Amino acid sequence: MPTLGAIADDFTGATDLATMLVARGFRTVVAVGPDALETSPSGAGHPALADADAVVVALKSRTAPVEEAVGLSLRALGGLRALGCTRFYFKYCSTFDSTPRGNIGPVTDALLDALGADRTVVVPSFPATGRTVYRGRLFVHDDLLDESPMRHHPLTPMRDSRVDRLLEPQTGRPVSRIGLETVRAGEDALRAALDDPARAGALTVVDAVDDRDLAVIAGATGELPLVTGAAGLAVGLVGPHPGEARARPASRPGDPGVVLAGSASAATRAQVAHALGRLPHRRLDPAALRTDFDATVTGLTGFVRDCWRTDPGRPPLIYTVAAPEDVEARTPDGAEPAAALVERALARCAAALVDAGARRLLVAGGETSGAVVTALRARTLGIGAPIAPGVAWATTEASPTGRPVTLDLALKSGNFGGTDIFTQAWEQLV
């Protein structure tokens, strides 16, 4: 029976956290949406959930309307409590992707209310991926958040680096900060600071610049019913199965694979650029999709199948953006936004390619990953071999056309992974 339950606001965030938990000795399963937690009419739950130490619910709520995000999160919390979870973790992006309305603040408030808890911590730091918080300011490597590429994000542009200032408009609770000097004084000092009556009911932003800081925070918050943060906070957790938690690959060397890259982030663009000279590739053009969606998708899937026959050793790459000029400059009046159009097309490609024999898929982009997993009708992901910080292979049973197949699936946040991830990830499937 799982004891740790987590709620992630997008699909790559869910696998990001699950990867960390596996490394810390938790047998971890990602449940795809709240429905995956529900028991069958016979009363039997999914066996993978019963065998887990930790369950992470993957939601597509990061940019959803506030009311929808809160409702999905509360449904996930109810399902996790029904499974037996007693501690909870709300996972959001390490770049604190949000808007002045939410959704980080409203979801945190709702989870605290549902649990009858009066306080929690806010810890977006993830040093392994270059995200740190110092004096309440969020850094992306050497840049302040509002000076990083995140300031131009199309959905959640981040134009302030002060986490407390980002959070205050989103919550009805007080927001406080605890500096690095208190964290470095150790668990007892941090616990005393968090227990200060002046912080009753507060959301407290805690500085952390390396993994030792995260371990102190995890130790000091062990009695809190709910913690919130990026996947980095899991660094300080200790699971019951060190070295035994990883799922085995479902596919075999030589099985057909494909890379589907829907992200326009700077990191993914660099990964695409690296792969263009090494993998067979085809760009997904929004203009072509607008002209004839079905024919464009059919052409892309046909290209991939041809590559499997003629060059089986290299997984083909379908991508949308290799350079900033590839981003559609303007959506035609009344037309579907390019991001949604691309997600829908890549999801259709994924379903068709799995039906055609794909057993290894690497997907780049949080929103794209959510669309792909939904199209594949996957319900749970068993976390396997790590590829990069925050990225791992997972085994899943998919049934895009009603015929169940088991495959390996990697969901990569747009900003994560090394430049060579599209060519090197496959080496971990052994």
Side-chain angles (χ1 to χ4, degrees):
M1 179 181 295
T3 57
L4 177 63
I7 299 164
D9 65 1
D10 80 344
F11 284 68
T12 56
T15 57
D16 175 12
L17 175 57
T19 300
M20 294 293 294
L21 292 173
V22 167
R24 301 303 300 162
F26 291 86
R27 291 175 180 163
T28 306
V29 173
V30 173
V32 181
D35 290 346
L37 301 175
E38 296 176 358
T39 58
S40 68
S42 66
H46 195 293
L49 300 178
D51 291 339
D53 306 309
V55 175
V56 183
V57 185
L59 302 180
K60 202 171 184 290
S61 60
R62 179 171 298 169
T63 57
V66 171
E67 296 76 12
E68 180 182 339
V70 168
L72 286 169
S73 301
L74 290 175
R75 280 187 60 206
L77 177 66
L80 290 168
R81 295 177 88 173
L83 283 176
C85 297
T86 55
R87 290 201 65 214
F88 302 93
Y89 190 139
F90 172 36
K91 193 275 174 195
Y92 40 78
C93 188
S94 56
T95 46
F96 212 73
D97 299 16
S98 200
T99 69
R101 286 200 65 213
N103 292 332
I104 294 173
V107 169
T108 300
D109 287 349
L111 294 175
L112 284 170
D113 289 344
L115 291 168
D118 73 337
R119 70 191 73 191
T120 191
V121 291
V122 177
V123 189
S125 295
F126 194 173
T129 60
R131 279 64 163 170
T132 55
V133 176
Y134 179 64
R135 297 193 181 279
R137 290 170 171 80
L138 179 52
F139 288 79
V140 179
H141 298 288
D142 293 331
D143 295 326
L144 288 165
L145 177 65
D146 56 327
E147 297 174 0
S148 76
M150 284 300 299
R151 70 187 184 277
H152 299 309
H153 194 284
L155 300 177
T156 53
M158 307 308 297
R159 296 183 176 133
D160 193 348
S161 63
R162 277 277 296 273
V163 180
D164 55 336
R165 286 199 301 241
L166 292 168
L167 190 56
E168 282 168 352
Q170 303 181 27
T171 177
R173 297 171 180 268
V175 178
S176 68
R177 292 196 294 117
I178 291 179
L180 189 64
E181 64 279 0
T182 303
V183 177
R184 292 287 170 87
E187 289 183 19
D188 291 343
L190 178 55
R191 190 178 298 110
L194 291 168
D195 289 343
D196 187 328
R199 288 195 171 86
L203 310 183
T204 301
V205 179
V206 185
D207 282 359
V209 300
D210 62 29
D211 287 353
R212 293 170 299 173
D213 302 327
L214 293 173
V216 170
I217 297 169
T221 57
E223 300 304 314
L224 292 180
L226 174 73
V227 295
T228 85
L233 188 54
V235 164
L237 302 179
V238 179
H241 298 99
E244 302 176 14
R246 184 186 300 177
R248 295 182 177 179
S251 63
R252 298 169 297 179
D255 281 350
V258 65
V259 181
L260 302 174
S263 173
S265 73
T268 298
R269 294 200 308 268
Q271 291 156 357
V272 168
H274 179 271
L276 290 182
R278 295 164 175 84
L279 300 178
H281 54 271
R282 184 71 58 88
R283 179 171 175 257
L284 193 163
D285 183 6
L289 290 173
R290 296 192 192 285
T291 300
D292 193 331
F293 183 92
D294 290 339
T296 301
V297 170
T298 297
L300 291 168
T301 57
F303 163 74
V304 173
R305 292 195 303 272
D306 288 343
C307 291
W308 289 344
R309 286 190 292 269
T310 60
D311 192 2
R314 297 189 298 164
L317 165 68
I318 302 298
Y319 70 97
T320 56
V321 178
E325 55 267 26
D326 291 337
V327 178
E328 187 176 62
R330 179 180 175 276
T331 299
D333 291 342
E336 183 178 8
L341 186 68
V342 165
E343 288 168 27
R344 189 159 59 90
L346 290 177
R348 179 85 68 85
C349 286
L353 291 170
V354 168
D355 190 51
R359 295 299 178 263
R360 299 175 164 196
L361 279 76
L362 197 167
V363 184
E367 299 299 315
T368 303
S369 293
V372 165
V373 171
T374 301
L376 295 180
R377 300 182 183 178
R379 288 176 59 84
T380 62
L381 307 174
I383 303 302
I387 303 170
V391 189
W393 286 106
T395 61
T396 189
E397 185 176 276
S399 54
T401 59
R403 178 175 59 90
V405 296
T406 303
L407 54 88
D408 290 306
L409 178 67
L411 307 177
K412 186 195 82 68
S413 170
N415 290 307
F416 282 11
T419 302
D420 62 354
I421 192 169
F422 293 160
T423 57
Q424 299 303 312
W426 318 93
E427 296 176 4
Q428 307 303 319
L429 288 177
V430 294

